[in-house]
Amino acid sequence: MADVKDFISNDPIAWCPGCGDFGILNALKAALVKLGRKPKDIVIASGIGQAAKLPHYIKCNCINGLHGRSLSYASAVKIANRELTVLVTTGDGDCYGEGGNHFIHNIRRNTDITVIVHNNQIYALTKGQASPSTDEGYVTKVQTQGVISEPIRALEMAIVLGAGFVARGYSADMEHLSWLILEGIEHKGFSLVEVLQPCVSFNKKNTYEWYSKRIYKANDDPAYDPGNYVAALQKASEWGDRIPIGIIYKAEKASYEEKSGLNKRPPLVEEKIDDIDITGILKEYA
Ligand SMILES: Cc1ncc(C[n+]2csc(CCOP(=O)(O)OP(=O)(O)O)c2C)c(N)n1
Ligand code: SF4
């Protein structure tokens, strides 16, 4: 059984004081402690950005690769060794912009990974350009007349594409967020946990105060059924004066591992390769 001290990394944290990313890091550690697995059994994949730095600040296995590509190598890790708990930490730019194509097709594939999107509604590492989730009209140094595109509706997209677990948390509500992350990990198949994460340096609109006035917990309403597809789509579409957090949609689906039959074979990492002769192939390409 692991304890929170087991997940402490010695890397100095390069986030601004007050950044919402700290809340996500703490919520993730709390969820992993509750999960009860050791750091050696956990892999966190990330790309590029402030969100993508998170795996450096927690002790476990980490893959830090290309901007927007983390969902692909996270899926590959899970396919190669399904004994591992595989997570992704990604920004709204990294996941919905540069990685948009991977977001779509990894949801459809439904590998058993948990994707935590730090949604600060801005490109923070590159100092404040609009991301796919920036609110319409928001003025940046690049979008000087205000953003003219509508923000991406990622939660609705995820539900329509077939994700079996779609949730939204708030970085300032650590206990609730850590519950969502744990639920996402324990769900079989692709899980999306989007987190509203204030960026105190570059997003001067969607601040702690702005979010706190609007956020409410969808699951506090006993009449709300996250298993109801149509109700979930409607809930996921709410944005503005009221913003729901919680488990928005949950459905049991066969995972990639089940549909492909991989779950009936030993994990790829355990397959014997000693008796495979590749000299013929090597000669062909020599
Ligand atoms: C292919 C590619 N395009 C662009 C960049 C430049 N770049 C690095 S981080 C970043 C934005 C990251 O924003 P986001 O994913 O929202 O994360 P945040 O920093 O806000 O946490 C960009 C555009 C890059 N490194 N690689
Ligand atoms: S720039 Fe924004 S997202 Fe990046 S560390 Fe600072 S507050 Fe956080």
Side-chain angles (χ1 to χ4, degrees):
M1 182 79 180
D3 154 297
V4 75
K5 289 198 258 350
D6 297 319
F7 292 102
I8 293 174
S9 147
N10 292 324
D11 274 24
I13 298 189
W15 288 327
C16 311
C19 175
D21 284 335
F22 286 98
I24 302 177
L25 176 63
N26 291 336
L28 175 58
K29 282 186 190 164
L32 293 177
V33 170
K34 279 200 194 125
L35 182 70
R37 303 204 71 192
K38 297 211 162 71
K40 73 171 182 58
D41 300 319
I42 295 154
V43 180
I44 308 182
S46 72
I48 304 292
Q50 299 285 17
K53 292 178 184 173
L54 185 144
H56 299 267
Y57 308 146
I58 184 165
K59 196 173 142 202
C60 61
N61 301 292
C62 152
I63 311 177
N64 199 188
L66 288 177
H67 197 23
R69 309 299 191 267
S70 52
L71 272 57
S72 299
Y73 37 86
S75 287
V77 169
K78 187 69 188 183
I79 288 166
N81 188 354
R82 61 174 182 276
E83 303 300 321
L84 296 168
T85 295
V86 181
L87 296 116
V88 170
T89 54
T90 171
D92 41 301
D94 191 55
C95 192
Y96 306 148
E98 284 79 0
N101 195 21
H102 298 282
F103 180 64
I104 291 171
H105 297 294
N106 277 287
I107 291 176
R108 290 181 49 244
R109 192 169 289 129
N110 203 27
T111 330
D112 188 10
I113 61 174
T114 303
V115 177
I116 303 171
V117 181
H118 302 213
N119 186 8
N120 53 19
Q121 300 186 247
I122 206 83
Y123 278 153
L125 189 76
T126 46
K127 303 198 185 306
Q129 305 83 2
S131 81
S133 57
T134 304
D135 283 338
E136 209 172 335
Y138 187 67
V139 175
T140 78
K141 277 176 278 179
V142 177
Q143 288 78 22
T144 54
Q145 307 297 311
V147 173
I148 54 173
S149 306
E150 285 190 29
I152 194 162
R153 295 153 73 151
L155 268 54
E156 288 161 86
M157 274 175 72
I159 296 169
V160 170
L161 288 164
F165 185 93
V166 178
R168 186 193 277 129
Y170 178 37
S171 64
D173 191 339
M174 207 195 94
E175 204 176 320
H176 181 258
L177 178 57
S178 104
W179 167 66
L180 290 177
I181 295 173
L182 188 58
E183 289 280 322
I185 294 171
E186 287 177 342
H187 174 82
K188 177 193 64 176
F190 187 101
S191 306
L192 173 68
V193 182
E194 185 189 87
V195 188
L196 302 173
Q197 174 247 315
C199 166
V200 295
S201 297
F202 296 110
N203 188 334
K204 301 296 180 188
K205 178 186 172 189
N206 311 105
T207 58
Y208 287 100
E209 201 192 353
W210 189 91
Y211 284 126
S212 301
K213 277 189 198 144
R214 290 164 172 81
I215 281 170
Y216 73 95
K217 290 184 174 145
N219 309 114
D220 280 357
D221 175 4
Y224 181 62
D225 173 13
N228 181 325
Y229 182 83
V230 175
L233 267 180
Q234 196 170 11
K235 188 66 72 187
S237 73
E238 278 182 37
W239 186 268
D241 291 343
R242 275 167 63 77
I243 303 176
I245 60 171
I247 299 177
I248 307 294
Y249 184 60
K250 192 164 159 55
E252 281 301 313
K253 301 197 165 205
S255 65
Y256 174 85
E257 295 85 332
E258 289 169 337
K259 287 204 232 175
S260 63
L262 274 175
N263 63 332
K264 299 205 177 71
R265 297 168 48 168
L268 290 178
V269 286
E270 285 173 20
E271 288 204 4
K272 299 237 173 303
I273 52 169
D274 310 347
D275 55 351
I276 299 175
D277 183 5
I278 57 162
T279 46
I281 299 171
L282 291 177
K283 265 191 206 146
E284 201 179 325
Y285 293 97

